[in-house]
Amino acid sequence: MSKRYRDTIATIGNTPLIRLNHASDETGCEILGKAEFMNPGGSVKDRAALGIVRDAEVRGELRPGGIIVEGTAGNTGIGLAVVGNCLGYETIIVMPDNQSQDKIDTLKSYGPRVELVPAVPLKDPNHFTKVSARIAAELNKEDPGSAIWANQFNNVANRDFHEQTTGPEIWEQTHGAVDAFICSVGTGGTLAGIARALKARKPEVQIGLADPTGSALYNYYKHGELKAEGGSISEGIGNSRITENLEGTPIDVPYQIPDSESIPLVYRMIRQEGLSLGGSSGVNVAGAIRLAKELGPGHVIVTILCDTAMRYRARLFNRKFLLERGLELPAWLDLD
Ligand code: PMP
């Protein structure tokens, strides 16, 4: 039955779980995608944003009309702006300047203060996360209690929200028949929270990591060493460290997914499933297919459909951009 909602925030979560027919039929498994792109801010990060804001409110750290400051690849900023606009908080978002223009424009359309900073390694004092922490600290020095730093990488309110909502939703939507869950990691909140919720209900559930090339996490879980190789056009995923959100996640099967495997799946899902999704969803579905092949037919495998391809229009549908990276647009997608 269609429901009526009290406000926009009430529509965050409770997303559909969609059978990916081609991936399922090809592997003999049920491969199911949790449609997080259907959240009001258009991505899985609306959940982290709401979890972090609600937690800060409960702790008494966020006063009415207060300011939320965050460093983000974009989707968390959009989620925080959605939540902030709905609840009457200001948002200040610091973003690295190498992210797709479509995502930057979407973020700006919500009206936060947006600071674009050069994309530098984490150890650099001007890394976007550190700049955002400094802005929050300065605001609090001028006016104590005026701002919070969302700190999505290490603030476990992010993971907790997935443990309390996304995980139980997957459990109920599969009637407990889920055999495995796999997704990629940015902060790790999604994977860590869902893994905890599912393992608590069924310890034999297999947890997979789908890590893009350019990230150090695959090597860490496979060989015990944080080491990155290659690169990826996917955004919002991959990491060079174990965040507090990711720490202690029971990962059974790590995979490294190159763009040559994930990006063709992005186009295939548009054409064959009618699902327009971003690169991280391609990595996730590629991971689910690998896990299905490893587990064999008859298993129920769940992954995350994170955001839409329209957030990356200038890259995913740009023949020149793709060619320069050894990738190609399918012939049916003749945009030029
Ligand atoms: N996909 C996209 C498009 C994202 O923006 C993010 C978050 N950075 C993720 C996946 C990963 O989610 P998490 O931070 O929960 O690991």
Side-chain angles (χ1 to χ4, degrees):
M1 198 181 67
S2 299
K3 264 179 78 175
R4 166 171 156 177
Y5 296 85
R6 106 181 104 57
D7 62 10
T8 307
I9 282 177
T11 71
I12 294 176
N14 285 312
T15 50
L17 189 64
I18 304 173
R19 182 177 193 266
L20 303 177
N21 286 332
H22 288 82
S24 299
D25 295 345
E26 170 188 305
T27 57
C29 285
E30 288 292 298
I31 298 186
L32 309 172
K34 186 90 170 124
E36 292 300 298
F37 65 91
M38 292 172 81
N39 281 306
S43 91
V44 65
K45 300 303 302 207
D46 284 13
R47 296 202 196 235
L50 183 57
I52 287 169
V53 169
R54 288 301 192 208
D55 178 68
E57 286 174 335
V58 168
R59 287 170 190 273
E61 288 169 4
L62 191 54
R63 68 188 187 200
I67 307 169
I68 305 161
V69 189
E70 183 58 322
T72 151
N75 279 333
T76 303
I78 295 167
L80 287 170
V82 167
V83 172
N85 287 1
C86 195
L87 296 177
Y89 300 117
E90 270 183 62
T91 39
I92 301 178
I93 303 299
V94 184
M95 235 178 117
D97 63 3
N98 62 348
Q99 300 298 294
S100 75
Q101 193 60 41
D102 303 291
K103 202 165 49 175
I104 298 171
D105 293 343
T106 306
L107 173 63
K108 284 184 173 170
S109 75
Y110 284 96
R113 190 175 114 198
V114 179
E115 307 260 344
L116 290 178
V117 297
V120 292
L122 178 68
K123 58 180 186 306
D124 192 299
N126 291 321
H127 186 263
F128 65 94
T129 54
K130 293 180 182 162
V131 175
S132 67
R134 277 204 300 274
I135 292 175
E138 277 158 24
L139 288 167
N140 282 324
K141 210 160 88 189
E142 283 163 24
D143 181 3
S146 61
I148 62 156
W149 178 42
N151 189 18
Q152 57 167 333
F153 288 93
N154 292 325
N155 181 347
V156 295
N158 168 3
R159 175 180 86 198
D160 291 348
F161 198 80
H162 284 287
E163 185 173 0
Q164 289 155 13
T165 66
T166 332
E169 286 169 31
I170 291 170
W171 181 254
E172 281 164 25
Q173 286 169 305
T174 58
H175 306 289
V178 54
D179 295 303
F181 175 79
I182 183 163
C183 74
S184 49
V185 160
T187 64
T190 308
L191 183 65
I194 294 172
R196 277 174 173 73
L198 295 180
K199 287 262 189 194
R201 287 164 176 79
K202 189 173 175 183
E204 64 272 29
V205 167
Q206 292 288 295
I207 300 299
L209 164 72
D211 204 34
T213 38
S215 169
L217 299 177
Y218 166 77
N219 276 321
Y220 179 78
Y221 288 103
K222 188 78 184 172
H223 307 295
E225 191 193 354
L226 274 166
K227 199 175 98 186
E229 15 186 39
S232 171
I233 69 164
S234 60
E235 295 179 32
I237 56 171
N239 212 321
S240 57
R241 68 191 187 287
I242 305 300
T243 63
E244 283 175 41
N245 275 296
L246 188 57
E247 185 80 59
T249 303
I251 291 173
D252 301 299
V253 216
Y255 296 113
Q256 187 172 54
I257 313 285
D259 284 358
S260 57
E261 188 175 336
S262 59
I263 300 301
L265 274 174
V266 168
Y267 303 123
R268 200 179 94 175
M269 285 189 286
I270 297 175
R271 187 67 165 159
Q272 299 185 337
E273 309 284 349
L275 283 171
S276 174
L277 304 166
S280 72
S281 303
V283 172
N284 287 354
V285 174
I289 291 172
R290 285 217 209 172
L291 194 49
K293 288 180 178 161
E294 193 161 326
L295 295 177
H299 292 93
V300 176
I301 300 169
V302 177
T303 192
I304 300 288
L305 310 178
C306 308
D307 65 359
T308 83
M310 288 304 118
R311 217 148 259 192
Y312 312 94
R313 207 165 32 155
R315 294 184 177 179
L316 278 177
F317 305 117
N318 179 336
R319 197 178 303 280
K320 188 165 163 281
F321 175 88
L322 293 166
L323 265 180
E324 283 164 6
R325 289 157 184 84
L327 300 163
E328 53 184 309
L329 263 185
W332 58 266
L333 230 171
D334 192 11
L335 296 167
D336 299 333

